Amino acid sequence: QVHLELSAEGKRTRVKLRHDGWQEGADWEKGRGYFSHAWPVVLARLKHRFAIGPLDWKHPFAPVSLDDLKWLVGSYRSTSGTTLQEEMWTRSEAGFLGAYRVSEQSKASFLELSTIELEDGELYFRMQMFGPGLTPSKRTAAKPLRFALHGVEDQSALFVGLDGEKGTELYYRLEKDTLEVTLKKPKGEAEVVKLSRVPQP
């Protein structure tokens, strides 16, 4: 027997699930073991659907933790002529802190500061852009851009835009020592940046 209880809490709804009526025996124990792992995934997907958006059943959402993104930590860079691109990620108990910088002829021309933090069971990516000297960038609003983690597979992660960025996708993929970052807007071509991992001393 499965009992569902829904109760209003302001603008939110609390969902309680109780699965009981179990009997004795090896098959019953096997069934209990299956559902003890399955129900947390089902409830996480239910919450994700209403908090973030519809699920992609070709790549269904599964509950994740900060540890699922530990492959991101490191320093990466790419050079093209006099242009240098750098991206750095660190990890602490609070989450991830990232910085992306573009330099022209040894002078910084663009900077992004980002965080990835766990909030109420969801992982959120926030990004704020700056111009030279940490001046506000014309490419972004006063508030940081906000994305939600939509899926992790091996060493890749897909974030989907929220608020004013709905329809935008931010995709990170690490293959060997190359970090590929793809920003795809609803209209227009995708922006792709490829950077090589910097060996640590």
Side-chain angles (χ1 to χ4, degrees), residues 113-132:
L113 294 179
S114 304
T115 60
I116 302 176
E117 298 170 320
L118 185 64
E119 299 176 21
D120 197 22
E122 299 283 348
L123 280 175
Y124 291 99
F125 184 115
R126 287 181 172 83
M127 174 198 304
Q128 184 69 61
M129 302 177 187
F130 300 91

Side-chain angles (χ1 to χ4, degrees), residues 8-180:
E9 292 188 359
K11 295 182 179 180
R12 308 176 71 179
T13 301
R14 180 175 294 278
V15 178
K16 293 182 179 179
L17 182 147
R18 189 176 77 250
H19 192 168
D20 56 20
W22 300 100
Q23 299 182 32
E24 300 295 329
D27 288 343
W28 288 96
E29 288 300 320
K30 185 177 180 180
R32 289 185 67 171
Y34 170 81
F35 281 104
S36 67
H37 293 287
W39 282 128
V41 175
V42 171
L43 292 175
R45 286 176 176 168
L46 176 67
K47 177 182 180 298
H48 187 86
R49 192 270 171 256
F50 286 99
I52 307 302
L55 300 178
D56 176 3
W57 289 108
K58 293 181 180 178
H59 307 283
F61 171 80
V64 294
S65 69
L66 289 169
D67 283 340
D68 293 312
L69 295 175
K70 61 184 179 182
W71 50 267
L72 189 59
V73 172
S75 297
Y76 311 86
R77 68 173 52 180
S78 173
T79 57
S80 177
T82 59
T83 301
L84 170 65
Q85 297 180 83
E86 303 170 279
E87 183 146 354
M88 297 148 279
W89 285 96
T90 61
R91 161 80 191 276
S92 70
E93 291 183 3
F96 293 84
L97 178 65
Y100 170 73
R101 177 171 60 188
V102 179
S103 302
E104 302 282 353
Q105 297 181 342
S106 301
K107 292 184 179 180
S109 59
F110 180 73
L111 176 70
E112 288 176 358
L113 294 179
S114 304
T115 60
I116 302 176
E117 298 170 320
L118 185 64
E119 299 176 21
D120 197 22
E122 299 283 348
L123 280 175
Y124 291 99
F125 184 115
R126 287 181 172 83
M127 174 198 304
Q128 184 69 61
M129 302 177 187
F130 300 91
L134 290 180
T135 56
S137 172
K138 296 179 181 179
R139 295 175 61 178
T140 187
K143 292 183 179 180
L145 305 182
R146 192 166 71 108
F147 299 81
L149 182 66
H150 202 52
V152 174
E153 186 175 346
D154 297 325
Q155 294 192 128
S156 64
L158 173 63
F159 298 88
V160 294
L162 303 174
D163 309 320
E165 295 301 309
K166 283 188 176 180
T168 300
E169 295 182 351
L170 182 61
Y171 184 67
Y172 274 79
R173 181 168 68 95
L174 180 64
E175 186 172 350
K176 294 183 178 179
D177 288 326
T178 300
L179 180 67
E180 183 176 288

